Amino acid sequence: MKLIDMDVATLISQSRKPDANPGGGAILILISNLAINLCLMMDKEDFGNLSEKANVSRETLLGISNTYEKSMQEDVDNFNALMDKIRNKEAKEIDYKNAARPLISMVDGNLKSLEEISFFLENGKKSTLTDGQISNDLLYQAILSAFATIKINLDQTDLSYNFDEKTKLAKNLYQKNLDIIERRNKWQ
């Protein structure tokens, strides 16, 4: 069964099995997708003279969300293919690259999402600011949590990945968003 077709109860029971479907990578992508949509709860009907920026941020976030629906399944499929090849002693570098690809894409998508949610944190409905804060936290933590899986896969390849650069960028975007949240909380 594809992840996108699972109900919540099935997803939960599947994730606790020893041969989990989904595994950690797909769960991180799902959490990131939920985080994006959680921040969109801050959307409002009228942003006045900021409507064009609101539309760009909204469409960007929705596009990333749609991509994540496919990436979750890609992560599961690529991981299963890699495990089959490892068991059969047929794993090649490309298989490890494929296994890393959905999470690498998620990290880039989460970085872009952290940029875009700042608009809603700054200008969205204040009544759902805590949802925006949860979104900020989840997107940031999903990036950091993805690194272990990316590393273990890329260590089997000739590809390098700049974990320090991605960490620094994520931390800066996360902190910028926290500053917005703190500022808005003081305005009460």
Side-chain angles (χ1 to χ4, degrees):
M1 174 183 275
K2 291 195 180 271
L3 292 179
I4 199 69
D5 298 328
M6 288 184 188
D7 59 37
V8 174
T10 302
L11 181 66
I12 290 169
S13 69
Q14 283 294 114
S15 67
R16 72 172 65 107
K17 292 182 177 181
D19 58 343
N21 173 23
I27 295 290
L28 285 174
I29 297 167
L30 173 61
I31 289 168
S32 297
N33 198 349
L34 292 170
I36 289 168
N37 288 288
L38 190 59
C39 188
L40 286 171
M41 290 176 69
M42 296 187 70
D43 205 353
K44 56 187 185 181
E45 289 182 30
D46 185 18
F47 283 97
N49 63 344
L50 299 174
S51 291
E52 188 174 320
K53 175 59 180 148
N55 290 337
V56 169
S57 290
R58 183 183 310 107
E59 292 305 314
T60 300
L61 290 169
L62 289 171
I64 295 168
S65 174
N66 290 335
T67 299
Y68 285 177
E69 289 180 18
K70 296 174 191 82
S71 296
M72 291 185 308
Q73 190 63 49
E74 181 185 5
D75 183 79
V76 169
D77 295 343
N78 292 356
F79 174 79
N80 289 339
L82 174 61
M83 290 298 103
D84 287 344
K85 290 185 178 186
I86 288 173
R87 277 190 288 278
N88 295 324
K89 300 185 184 332
E90 297 171 349
K92 296 183 173 32
E93 188 173 341
I94 188 68
D95 301 312
Y96 290 97
K97 289 177 182 177
N98 287 341
R101 189 176 54 236
L103 284 178
I104 291 171
S105 295
M106 184 212 74
V107 168
D108 292 339
N110 282 16
L111 290 169
K112 184 64 177 167
S113 296
L114 284 168
E115 285 179 39
E116 294 299 329
I117 70 169
S118 65
F119 174 82
F120 292 102
L121 293 170
E122 185 80 53
N123 304 290
K125 293 185 291 191
K126 189 165 183 193
S127 63
T128 55
L129 186 59
T130 56
D131 295 310
Q133 183 169 356
I134 293 167
S135 174
N136 190 49
D137 292 345
L138 291 173
L139 289 167
Y140 177 64
Q141 288 303 320
I143 290 169
L144 300 180
S145 296
F147 288 161
T149 302
I150 293 170
K151 182 174 181 357
I152 202 166
N153 285 306
L154 292 187
D155 281 352
Q156 306 302 315
T157 74
D158 63 355
L159 290 179
S160 63
Y161 190 79
N162 195 331
F163 293 99
D164 291 336
E165 177 186 310
K166 299 290 184 178
T167 301
K168 182 178 178 183
L169 181 55
K171 187 173 185 173
N172 288 340
L173 291 166
Y174 172 74
Q175 187 59 54
K176 175 185 168 196
N177 289 339
L178 280 182
D179 293 344
I180 293 168
I181 292 164
E182 289 174 16
R183 201 169 47 247
R184 280 197 80 186
N185 276 331
K186 288 180 183 176
W187 293 343
Q188 298 181 27

